[in-house]
Amino acid sequence: DFPAKSLAAISIIKCGRRWPYIICLVGSGVSFLVMLAFNRGDYTNDWPIVTCAMCGNFFISTSFAIIWVYTAELFPTNVR
């Protein structure tokens, strides 16, 4: 979780808020869809499924860290 939060902080500083959020959501969706292509029990310890799940979890954690900053900026100051 620490690498995901670090990547979120760096990407917010370098690229803004919108595109890193979109990329992380698309990355998580793609990794979870790729996970469906593998059958359980075909590989030792189901390593492709675990790898795709961990990548998806990484992207979801990163996007969750970005959305906290992004939604706070969407509301006007008097509403916050």
Side-chain angles (χ1 to χ4, degrees), residues 17 66-77 79-80:
R17 278 99 168 118
I66 293 172
I67 198 66
W68 278 101
V69 177
Y70 189 56
T71 55
E73 294 175 349
L74 289 177
F75 293 110
T77 305
V79 175
R80 283 187 270 158

Side-chain angles (χ1 to χ4, degrees), residues 12 31 34 43 51 65:
I12 284 174
S31 66
V34 168
Y43 299 95
T51 303

Side-chain angles (χ1 to χ4, degrees), residues 3 11 21 25 27 32 34 49 51 63 69:
S11 64
Y21 181 67
L25 285 180
F32 288 140
V34 168
I49 296 171
T51 303
S63 65
V69 177

